[in-house]
Structure formats: C-alpha cells, structure tokens
Amino acid sequence: MLRTDVILKFVVFSFFFSLVFNSTIGSLAALMFIVCGGSILINNISESYRILLRYRALLIIPCLAIVSSFWSDTSMIAFRGGVQLLLTTVFSIVLICRVDKNLLLNCLVFTFIIAMGASLASNRVALNGMTGEISLIGIFSSKNYLAIHTAIGVGVGVVMYFYSEKTNRLSRILGGILLFLAVLVLLKAKSFGTTLSVSMSLFLMYLFMWYQTKNITFYLRLNVNFFMVAILISIIGIAIYSLTQSFFDEFMYDIGKDPTLTGRTYIWQRGLDLISENPILGSGYQSVFVINNMVAEDIWEYAKVESGSGFNFHNMFINIWVELGFVGFFIYVVGLILLIKKLYKNYDFTNPLLVLSIFVFFFFFTQSFLEAVLLRQFTLAQFLICLAWISFSSVSRRIVNVA
C-alpha cells in the first residue's frame, strides 16, 4: 500500500471541483475531469481493470447509450454523450475503489464548502418564464442544479459532522462549516421543495438505520414492514385520487404553488407520447432536447426558455424510457431493485461513506419522480450513484499514488 501524498490530494480535489463547478468553468471542467480520472485509471491499469470487471453492471447503461447512436436521429450526439457517460462512470468507479475513504470525504466536503460559500455570496439569479419567479442559481446553471447540490451539501455536512471518527477533529469541523453554509443557501434560495426533500431524505436515512440496527423481534419487524407498506400504499392512493380530483389543484393554489408542478405535467405527457412512438429502443441518448427537434422546441416554447437550453423530462423513469426505450427502463429498474437489495444486506453504519450513500439513495430516489439528474456525464450525481452501489457492496478501498 502506497502512501497518500500532496499530488493525490490535489488530483482528487480537482476531480470533485470539476464535477461541482462544471457549469461555471465549462469545457475546462471536462478537461480537468478527464486528466484527473485518467491519471488514476492508468496508474496500475491491471488493478483498475480488475475493479471495473467487478462492477461491470454499472457500465451497462453507458454502453447502451453509446449503442443507441445506431438508431438515433442525432447519432453523433448520442455517441458523444454515451462515451462521456462511460468515462464518467469508469473514472468514478476507479476513484472510489482506489482512494482512501477519508481522503475522498475530505476533498468532497472542501469542494462543497467552496461551492456553497460562492453561491451564498453570489447574486446570480434566473427568471422562471412560466411563473415569473426569480430564483437564486449561484454558481450553477439553474435553480434545479443549485437545489440538488445544496441538498447533497447538507447530506455531506451531516455525515462529516456526526459520523466522522471522533478523533478526526478536522473532518468534523469541515462538516459543521459545510452544514452551516448549505443551510444558509437553502434559506436564501427559498426552495420549499428542496427543503422538504432534504428533510424527508434525512428522516428516511435515520429511520432505515434505526430499523436495521434496532434489536427487535421478528414479529415486531413484520408489523413495522406491514405498517410501512400500508403507509406507502396510502400515500400513492391519496396522490392518485388527489391528482384526478380538484383537491391537489386547490391545495397547490392555497400554498401559492403551481398545480402543474411548473409545467411538469405537460412535459410528462409529451414524454409519454414519445415513448409510444419508440417504446422498445427509445429515441437515443440525449437525442430529444436538440435544436429543431419538434417535441423539444414545443416544450421550450411552453416553458418560455431559449431554444437549445439544457432540459429533461423532469422524471427519471420517463426520461430513460424516452431516450433508451423499454430496454434502458428495464435495466434501470432492475438496477434499482438490486441496489435496494444490497442496501438491506449492509449493517455497518460506522462507515461515513456508507451513511452518505444511504442519504444519496433516498434523496435521488425521492427526486427521481420530479427530476432526471442521474445518468448524465460529468456530473456529481453519476459519481454518487456509483458510490452508493459500491458502498452497499462493502468494497475495501486501496490508496493509490498517482505521482
């Protein structure tokens, strides 16, 4: 085992910096990501190959995204995006498995402190064309990306402050600083949805950890399972009934919110129309929201945003079915089920990376019904979903020297 040195710390920090600040520094972020990730990949290439072979399941959808270029109307866009997604996944897997977990967490929290501090000091805002609402976006490209990164920042801060080793005072201090800054950004952004999703994800994280570690009898656990399933079915039933009646609209109007969820219901319908046209293989990876695509132009006009703006269907299940068809949708759902199965087999909650992964899982799962941020190249979300998969698999980590 080789020692951790200054060069490795710089490489890992630059790796995270490129993902968090990708909308700020643009193509430079992609270059930084490729150089940093590639340097760790090629250092002991045989070890990297062994790791990738072990976690080859994470490479299935990126490879499908590349293959989708054969039937996509915009084949070069699908091919380029698929290759970039594959590189993002490969570099993330290798980094997670070959870099010490404390170094990973410290570099991640330090990057988020810079991002949250910059966003807090920033006055960059964006106008929502549908509602006329002016929202803080900070260093990010949109309100949604600010919300997602701020939520992750809260999760990282909680884990670093409460779950770092008691002797690691620096990590706990950094976690406390990040948690404080992220909460301030949440307050400044005035995002009710993000605050609700963060609170729910933290609650589910602690509830799950209590459930897994609490020494309860088989019959009590069975009753808890029945109770949770009953609550889930009730919530789904109430949601369906409310959406088909006027209760949901009235409730959203009462709290001053848009009952169409800022146009999402219309966007979902257009996505379902596309699914019916290409149900098996889809339209191709990232091949819908391109200039001159009739559906994309219609949605951009409806949302009152500039043609060519970054966009998605704001639902992970619809988004992947539109782009990669039922094949991609099926792989994604199976992967989600396997992830849950892995989660229920792991009880080591002394590992801060595992606790962070649990938060990440619940956050992205709850977000997947209103957003589609997973399976995107050069994003922190793709790194974190790889982290969750590997952490739930209880992999041991090795330190690598990239000098």
Side-chain angles (χ1 to χ4, degrees):
M1 183 177 292
L2 300 176
R3 65 184 180 86
T4 304
D5 57 15
V6 176
I7 295 178
L8 179 57
K9 293 177 182 178
F10 176 77
V11 168
V12 176
F13 169 75
S14 300
F15 181 91
F16 288 130
F17 188 89
S18 67
L19 293 180
V20 175
F21 285 81
N22 61 9
S23 60
T24 304
I25 58 179
S27 57
L28 178 59
L31 178 61
M32 288 174 59
F33 178 81
I34 291 172
V35 170
C36 295
S39 64
I40 295 180
L41 175 71
I42 64 176
N43 183 274
N44 195 345
I45 189 70
S46 60
E47 175 71 3
S48 296
Y49 174 76
R50 185 192 66 80
I51 291 170
L52 293 173
L53 191 62
R54 179 175 182 179
Y55 297 108
R56 57 189 178 275
L58 290 170
L59 306 178
I60 295 177
I61 288 184
C63 289
L64 179 62
I66 296 175
V67 175
S68 72
S69 62
F70 287 104
W71 59 80
S72 171
D73 291 335
T74 56
S75 57
M76 286 307 300
I77 292 177
F79 180 78
R80 182 176 67 249
V83 170
Q84 292 171 343
L85 178 63
L86 180 63
L87 287 176
T88 304
T89 308
V90 166
F91 293 159
S92 297
I93 294 171
V94 172
L95 191 80
I96 293 165
C97 294
R98 298 189 62 198
V99 174
D100 176 70
K101 63 182 179 65
N102 290 322
L103 177 58
L104 276 179
L105 283 170
N106 287 334
C107 290
L108 184 62
V109 71
F110 192 62
T111 304
F112 264 106
I113 286 175
I114 296 174
M116 293 297 102
S119 295
L120 192 62
S122 171
N123 290 320
R124 289 185 68 231
V125 296
L127 175 66
N128 188 313
M130 295 190 63
T131 64
E133 180 183 17
I134 297 178
S135 304
L136 176 72
I137 62 174
I139 65 167
F140 302 99
S141 58
S142 67
K143 174 188 175 182
N144 287 338
Y145 270 86
L146 171 73
I148 290 166
H149 283 82
T150 304
I152 295 171
V154 171
V156 173
V158 168
V159 169
M160 290 292 287
Y161 184 77
F162 292 103
Y163 293 93
S164 293
E165 297 177 3
K166 300 300 182 181
T167 56
N168 195 342
R169 181 175 297 181
L170 176 61
S171 294
R172 299 194 68 195
I173 292 174
L174 291 176
I177 294 173
L178 173 57
L179 184 58
F180 176 72
L181 291 175
V183 169
L184 288 181
V185 174
L186 268 183
L187 295 175
K188 185 175 181 180
K190 299 177 182 179
S191 177
F192 173 76
T194 304
T195 303
L196 181 62
S197 63
V198 169
S199 302
M200 182 183 301
S201 300
L202 287 173
F203 170 75
L204 291 173
M205 180 188 79
Y206 282 111
L207 179 64
F208 174 79
M209 291 169 62
W210 171 86
Y211 176 79
Q212 289 290 81
T213 57
K214 192 71 174 176
N215 186 20
I216 58 179
T217 66
F218 170 79
Y219 294 103
L220 180 56
R221 188 177 295 274
L222 190 64
N223 289 332
V224 171
N225 288 340
F226 176 80
F227 179 69
M228 295 303 295
V229 171
I231 289 179
L232 180 62
I233 293 175
S234 299
I235 291 175
I236 294 174
I238 292 172
I240 293 174
Y241 182 76
S242 298
L243 288 172
T244 56
Q245 304 296 321
S246 60
F247 298 118
F248 180 76
D249 289 4
E250 293 174 0
F251 171 74
M252 293 299 285
Y253 282 129
D254 287 341
I255 64 175
K257 296 296 182 180
D258 179 11
T260 68
L261 302 176
T262 321
R264 282 177 173 83
T265 53
Y266 176 76
I267 297 170
W268 294 341
Q269 185 57 55
R270 295 312 309 268
L272 294 175
D273 293 340
L274 280 177
I275 289 173
S276 65
E277 296 176 9
N278 301 283
I280 306 302
L281 297 178
S283 304
Y285 183 67
Q286 296 186 337
S287 295
V288 175
F289 288 100
V290 294
I291 294 177
N292 296 327
N293 181 292
M294 293 181 61
V295 174
E297 295 289 354
D298 177 64
I299 292 176
W300 284 325
E301 182 179 358
Y302 173 80
K304 296 181 175 60
V305 298
E306 183 180 354
S307 178
S309 300
F311 220 90
N312 57 61
F313 286 97
H314 291 283
N315 181 289
M316 194 61 221
F317 302 95
I318 293 176
N319 204 82
I320 193 170
W321 200 327
V322 167
E323 294 186 351
L324 299 178
F326 177 76
V327 175
F329 174 83
F330 178 77
I331 294 172
Y332 178 77
V333 171
V334 170
L336 181 62
I337 294 172
L338 291 176
L339 197 62
I340 296 173
K341 183 179 178 181
K342 288 175 179 287
L343 173 61
Y344 269 88
K345 285 186 174 181
N346 206 315
Y347 298 89
D348 181 19
F349 299 134
T350 61
N351 180 356
L353 272 183
L354 177 62
V355 178
L356 176 60
S357 297
I358 295 171
F359 171 82
V360 164
F361 169 78
F362 283 119
F363 176 73
F364 281 130
F365 179 75
T366 55
Q367 284 281 298
S368 64
F369 298 96
L370 295 175
E371 299 294 343
V373 296
L374 299 178
L375 304 177
R376 287 295 179 260
Q377 66 271 38
F378 305 141
T379 60
L380 185 67
Q382 185 64 14
F383 170 85
L384 290 173
I385 203 63
C386 292
L387 174 66
W389 183 279
I390 295 172
S391 295
F392 296 163
S393 301
S394 300
V395 66
S396 60
R397 293 169 177 79
R398 293 178 173 84
I399 302 173
V400 59
N401 186 353
V402 296

